[in-house]
Amino acid sequence: MISVESLHVEFGVKPLFTDASFVVNDRDRIALVGKNGAGKSTLLKILCGKQQPTSGVVSVPNDTTIGYLPQVMILQDDTTVREEAQKAFADITKMKERIDRMNQQLAERTDYESADYMALVEKFTQEYERYMMMGAENYEAEIERTLTGLGFLRTDLERPTSEFSGGWRMRIELAKILLQKPDVLLLDEPTNHLDIESIQWLEQFLAQSAKAVVLVSHDRAFINNVSNRTLEISCGHIVDYKVKYDEYVTLRKERREQQLRAYENQQKEIADMRQFIERFRYQATKAVQVQQKIKQLEKIVPIEIDDVDNSAMHLKFPPCLRSGDYPIICEDVAKNYGSHTVFSDVNLTIKRGEKVAFVGKNGEGKSTLVKCIMGEIPFEGNLKVGHNIQIGYFAQNQAQLLDENLTVFQTIDYVAKGDIRLKINDILGAFMFGGEESDKKVKVLSGGERSRLAMIRLLLEPVNLLILDEPTNHLDMASKDVLKEAIRAFDGTAIVVSHDREFLDGLVTKVYEFGGGKVKEHLGGIYDFLRSRNISELSQLQSMPSASNPNSSNNPSSSIVTSSPSANAQSYADRKEQQKRIRKAEKAVEESERKISDMERRLKELDDLLMKPENASNMEFVTEYTTTKKALDEEVERWEKLSEELDLLSI
């Protein structure tokens, strides 16, 4: 489908690729891998024609269509979600308009026997048959199926795209590309803004529907599940492995070991030749042999070893004040929104130096308890923050607090202290800001890049209590390892909210499970916790009964059993539908809470106005007060019903 021959790309004087050749075939699922800055995104841009190589040929047949999803793109704000997705069917829409015009002409004309009329009938028939063959009548259903698969609710489809965050709008763009059904899909980090359900749906879509795929991703599980071929960019060359990602890792290790042995043998051969030349250079009887050795030495092509970034990148937190022995103590802590209890009777003690994990279903209160610790929201009970505690907090909104006018390097340079300032470029490289990336202004960075930059800033600040809310969402595997090692070596205390079991493994020594309005303590690491819950993935918590449910643990009837594929598929569909209902109910509760807050604020304003003597007899204010008070009472009653429904769905 796409043929690449002798591709050569240079930036300045540095070659990115040299003499790269490969072919993308039908049904290929290609994982494009390589270290940061190797040129993965550049290669995707060249394949789709967005960028031209220095030399070489990229051949794409005229009838081959390509869909390209970049990491960053300009998004539209003047349409609804459905209208934006319909743009994927622009050709079909134009065809439908032509068919409608011809149909109107056929209805209005009366020259049934004329040659023009018969020609119009024939043209209408051909266009209509082509229209039906393209499945055009079902494209609205296909739009809904794709958008709901990527996490949208049906009620979201009529909302303006401007109401959605950048991550959700990127999902819309991904949906448009998938709906176009291109012959080749080029996807640059498609999972950055997807949740677990949407990633699983995308995996299934690519496996069943896509013709050919070339993708870049730092989600190891995703690329391993999708790929059947791996292209590695290494040392300016592209090496083709006809296997999926996990098998590539093994083959690459074997290949490098072979290269090392060949390199060592070659170096020994070169050393022996040089020794012979030096030993017999001035003996006339050996002159011929010496000249032969010199010529042989000149003809030797040095063996290249695949470039592996084995630089010892270690990051240590700067020295900080010693905190009290108990940084966090919760005694009967509770958080309610009206009659809805997020959690209650939370009793926990986190000791100095402990690394703990907060896990559980979405919406069970993990981030809420973090906000209580931070003092951002009110709560009931007693929550003590220990003596000399300096909190370093990472959440998604941290990225929005960066100075947009600074460069990436300046942002880090301003917070780095002492010897660490000598390693700023190494640190930035470890977190995917190597080379020219460090000179970018913050304002041109994507949301994921800003999150990574905010994470680096946090790592360089002197704190003794780290609170990290989903810290690995925008990090590649190498960056995760750097962060994990830094937290493990951290002298202070750490609270990590995460669903990434590989990241938590070997890092935390205690797990707090949130569920059913309760917080349950589990001693041991993350795999000890998973074994205690008889599950293998943290994502499975989404579909399990709450931790507080007496039937959910130590109950033979609730243990996991092997079922048929159809039963598993039905179970997955049921769980997915249940989660959609929960998300819809959560949105309804949030909307109701917003309305209540607005009405309460207006009532307070009217109270203040009516307290003034000049407004005491103002019937307009009195009427508005009475009407608003009645509406508030009705909304509170509605909110209570919605909260009860949400509680029932969450059980």
Side-chain angles (χ1 to χ4, degrees), residues 178-217:
L178 299 181
L179 287 166
Q180 289 168 358
K181 297 181 181 176
D183 296 313
V184 183
L185 275 171
L186 307 177
L187 306 177
D188 198 349
E189 293 291 355
T191 61
N192 267 1
H193 301 287
L194 301 183
D195 55 24
I196 293 168
E197 278 187 13
S198 301
I199 290 172
Q200 290 173 336
W201 180 90
L202 181 59
E203 284 178 5
Q204 189 176 16
F205 179 94
L206 295 178
Q208 296 177 355
S209 305
K211 295 180 181 178
V213 181
V214 182
L215 65 93
V216 175
S217 177

Side-chain angles (χ1 to χ4, degrees), residues 541-598:
L541 291 172
Q542 297 291 338
S543 57
M544 293 190 67
S546 298
S548 61
N549 188 333
N551 297 322
S552 66
S553 60
N554 301 321
N555 186 343
S557 65
S558 66
S559 61
I560 297 174
V561 295
T562 303
S563 58
S564 67
S566 60
N568 285 333
Q570 182 61 40
S571 174
Y572 172 75
D574 291 344
R575 290 198 305 270
K576 191 169 181 180
E577 186 61 34
Q578 176 73 356
Q579 287 161 4
K580 287 180 183 177
R581 287 197 292 267
I582 290 173
R583 286 201 299 271
K584 185 176 180 180
E586 286 173 343
K587 286 190 175 183
V589 169
E590 289 173 3
E591 178 65 19
S592 182
E593 287 173 353
R594 186 189 62 76
K595 289 180 180 178
I596 289 170
S597 177
D598 290 344

Side-chain angles (χ1 to χ4, degrees), residues 297-568:
L297 194 60
E298 290 173 347
K299 290 179 180 179
I300 288 178
V301 178
I303 292 174
E304 283 189 318
I305 301 172
D306 287 350
D307 187 19
V308 176
D309 188 4
N310 287 324
S311 55
M313 178 59 214
H314 302 291
L315 194 59
K316 281 195 70 173
F317 285 89
C320 58
L321 286 174
R322 177 188 172 95
S323 71
D325 290 338
Y326 301 99
I328 301 294
I329 299 175
C330 292
E331 297 174 345
D332 299 323
V333 172
K335 178 59 185 174
N336 302 295
Y337 288 108
S339 61
H340 174 62
T341 300
V342 181
F343 49 70
S344 62
D345 301 320
V346 176
N347 291 280
L348 61 85
T349 300
I350 299 176
K351 299 177 183 177
R352 177 169 48 82
E354 281 188 329
K355 314 292 190 295
V356 306
F358 284 1
V359 304
K361 299 178 185 179
N362 293 335
E364 289 288 358
K366 303 185 295 295
S367 296
T368 302
L369 183 56
V370 167
K371 289 177 182 176
C372 292
I373 293 171
M374 295 295 298
E376 293 181 358
I377 57 175
F379 56 88
E380 297 174 16
N382 191 13
L383 195 160
K384 299 177 183 175
V385 177
H387 178 63
N388 272 346
I389 290 298
Q390 298 172 316
I391 298 179
Y393 178 39
F394 177 82
Q396 294 301 321
N397 66 338
Q398 294 298 111
Q400 309 306 318
L401 304 179
L402 299 172
D403 187 337
E404 293 192 339
N405 295 315
L406 297 179
T407 65
V408 169
F409 184 90
Q410 289 169 336
T411 301
I412 302 307
D413 189 41
Y414 286 173
V415 297
K417 308 292 181 187
D419 293 342
I420 201 73
R421 297 189 73 234
L422 302 175
K423 299 180 180 179
I424 290 178
N425 284 324
D426 292 336
I427 295 168
L428 290 173
F431 282 87
M432 303 159 65
F433 288 112
E436 296 176 358
E437 295 291 312
S438 65
D439 295 325
K440 280 185 177 179
K441 294 273 190 179
V442 171
K443 61 186 174 186
V444 303
L445 299 180
S446 67
E449 289 172 323
R450 291 190 186 204
S451 293
R452 293 201 304 273
L453 189 59
M455 174 62 69
I456 302 173
R457 272 193 53 169
L458 176 61
L459 290 174
L460 298 179
E461 292 175 355
V463 299
N464 50 31
L465 173 59
L466 274 176
I467 302 178
L468 308 176
D469 195 348
E470 296 293 357
T472 63
N473 274 0
H474 297 285
L475 301 184
D476 66 358
M477 292 170 231
S479 303
K480 285 182 188 180
D481 291 340
V482 172
L483 176 60
K484 183 174 178 178
E485 182 187 351
I487 298 173
R488 191 186 287 143
F490 178 49
D491 292 333
T493 310
I495 299 171
V496 185
V497 182
S498 179
H499 64 269
D500 189 333
R501 64 175 185 173
E502 290 186 9
F503 181 72
L504 295 174
D505 182 33
L507 178 61
V508 301
T509 55
K510 192 187 291 183
V511 176
Y512 289 100
E513 181 187 9
F514 287 66
K518 303 295 179 185
V519 179
K520 185 178 179 182
E521 181 183 90
H522 297 264
L523 297 177
I526 191 65
Y527 280 98
D528 296 320
F529 163 70
L530 293 173
R531 281 192 291 271
S532 74
R533 299 288 277 135
N534 200 19
I535 57 178
S536 59
E537 298 277 357
L538 287 171
S539 58
Q540 291 175 253
L541 291 172
Q542 297 291 338
S543 57
M544 293 190 67
S546 298
S548 61
N549 188 333
N551 297 322
S552 66
S553 60
N554 301 321
N555 186 343
S557 65
S558 66
S559 61
I560 297 174
V561 295
T562 303
S563 58
S564 67
S566 60
N568 285 333

